[in-house]
Amino acid sequence: MAIGSLSIDMALPSLPATAGALGAGPATVQLTVTLFLAGFAVAQLVHGPLSDRMGRRRVLLGGLVVYVLGGLACWAAPSARLLIAGRVLQALGAGSGPVVGRAVVRDLYEPAQAARVLGYMGTAMALTPILAPIVGGFVHMAFGWRAVYLVLAACGVTFLALATLIVPETNRRQDPDALRPGHLGTNVADLLRDPEFLGYTLVVALMFGGQFAFISGSAFVLIEVLHVAPDVYGLCFGLVAFGIMTGSFLAARLTPRAGIDRLIAVATCLGAGAGCVMAALAWSGTWTVAAVVGPMYAFAVGVGIVLPTAIAGAIGPFPRTAGLASAVLGFLQLTAASAYGILVGRLYDGTPIPMAAAIAAAGLAAAGAHRLRPRP
């Protein structure tokens, strides 16, 4: 489930150097992140229904093969355009990971238990964004930016071997009509007409959009504006990722007592407040590492709480089409985040202000969306 985070975060410390080596501008190189996320989103729409039809295991293994090929293409890319194409191919394979992972959890657990399981999984998964940029920074400093993509391909080979040995088939009710256009369209329409599904998905998309504004913009803000070294940037990013781990752990522990909606309300308010603090500091001219990383840590705690609880709430009512529900949720979440990341990249003006404003806006919108979410 963490393969997308691994693929994005390990490459972040190398973005400025990649731009210089390939003769591309910051906005162009940021497309290796935003278009990866867009491809990642589209891939889930394919892998989700496929896993409902063919089973979770085969879809996961096939996706990992494509992921390895994409990583090798990035390693060998001679231009920014081909690097972006390799990242899209990598994303198409990586999309199988989270959509199949969430569907497996729904195959095995009811919504309340699923929120706890996803919370504990999120706690462990948060190690990836903590370690990936640190490893990426050290690999970049030692061997250059191309070596980062070679390491990602090697990770894909490892995941493929482990999945082959360990992952069982959990879809015991495979739907032979899952890929039939009429049947698929009816199932998608049922999802998009459900107010609970849409409400939870919107909150997930907005909070993740704020997190992705930091993911896509922080390398340029911290390295270029605040003059942080790439390996130190990895440590700063790891601290923010630790916020996601903290939030996921709190979600797993508190869901049985507080309930899904109460936790989401607290988390979105925390995200809104933290984003506003970051924006106020940026607009006041307080351009320091602490002024960026401190509020972002608090925002990330909110993200860590929202993701497992809102995802469980969204896909819980759809046990027979868990793969499709997981895919549609992931597609909407990642498409919104990709668009948000592109916007932040285009508005980058050499200051922390656009990124901070985008994070604040996402937090405020998420808090409002949950408060106004229609209840059946």
Side-chain angles (χ1 to χ4, degrees):
M1 286 183 67
I3 193 170
S5 175
L6 173 72
S7 305
I8 292 172
D9 299 342
M10 189 176 287
L12 290 179
S14 299
L15 289 183
T18 303
L22 298 179
T28 299
V29 174
Q30 279 183 310
L31 290 175
T32 62
V33 177
T34 52
L35 291 184
F36 177 94
L37 198 64
F40 195 57
V42 172
Q44 294 191 47
L45 288 181
V46 177
H47 294 304
L50 273 177
S51 74
D52 286 336
R53 170 65 181 84
M54 301 173 60
R56 316 297 184 207
R57 176 182 165 85
R58 283 193 287 176
V59 172
L60 177 62
L61 297 181
L64 288 173
V65 170
V66 175
Y67 176 82
V68 172
L69 295 176
L72 293 175
C74 293
W75 168 65
S79 67
R81 181 176 297 178
L82 291 177
L83 175 62
I84 292 169
R87 288 288 272 174
V88 172
L89 178 63
Q90 193 180 40
L92 294 177
S96 65
V99 71
V100 171
R102 290 190 297 260
V104 166
V105 171
R106 184 58 191 92
D107 288 340
L108 301 175
Y109 301 99
E110 294 301 319
Q113 293 175 297
R116 293 191 67 199
V117 172
L118 288 169
Y120 283 124
M121 291 175 70
T123 304
M125 285 167 53
L127 288 172
T128 300
I130 291 173
L131 297 177
I134 298 174
V135 173
F138 283 117
V139 170
H140 167 75
M141 296 291 284
F143 304 106
W145 66 269
R146 290 186 184 276
V148 173
Y149 296 105
L150 193 59
V151 170
L152 287 175
C155 290
V157 172
T158 304
F159 298 155
L160 179 61
L162 291 174
T164 301
L165 293 172
I166 294 171
V167 177
E169 180 55 62
T170 61
N171 184 3
R172 304 302 180 189
R173 297 181 292 183
Q174 296 176 20
D175 184 358
D177 297 324
L179 299 177
R180 189 163 54 84
H183 188 70
L184 181 61
T186 299
N187 288 338
V188 171
D190 288 342
L191 288 171
L192 298 180
R193 283 197 298 261
D194 187 278
E196 288 286 276
F197 178 83
L198 287 178
Y200 286 127
T201 299
L202 181 59
V203 172
V204 169
L206 288 168
M207 288 294 286
F208 188 75
Q211 181 73 19
F212 193 72
F214 177 80
I215 291 172
S216 63
S218 60
F220 293 97
V221 169
L222 292 176
I223 294 175
E224 291 193 345
V225 179
L226 303 180
H227 308 295
V228 171
D231 50 348
V232 177
Y233 166 78
L235 295 174
C236 294
F237 195 91
L239 179 61
V240 173
F242 184 71
I244 298 178
M245 176 184 284
T246 304
S248 298
F249 179 76
L250 290 173
R253 298 287 293 179
L254 298 177
T255 297
R257 285 176 286 176
I260 287 175
D261 284 302
R262 187 177 298 176
L263 285 178
I264 294 174
V266 172
T268 53
C269 288
L270 176 62
C276 288
V277 169
M278 185 192 296
L281 290 171
W283 272 315
S284 70
T286 307
W287 295 356
T288 65
V289 174
V292 173
V293 176
M296 194 61 214
Y297 173 84
F299 188 95
V301 172
V303 173
I305 295 173
V306 163
L307 291 184
T309 52
I311 288 173
I315 69 176
F318 303 97
R320 294 192 63 83
T321 54
L324 179 63
S326 175
V328 173
L329 182 147
F331 174 78
L332 295 175
Q333 169 193 349
L334 296 175
T335 301
S338 297
Y340 214 51
I342 291 173
L343 177 63
V344 172
R346 295 298 180 187
L347 294 178
Y348 176 66
D349 59 359
T351 75
I353 293 175
M355 183 185 76
I359 293 168
L364 289 169
H370 183 256
R371 185 177 180 84
L372 299 175
R373 180 175 58 88
R375 271 77 171 176

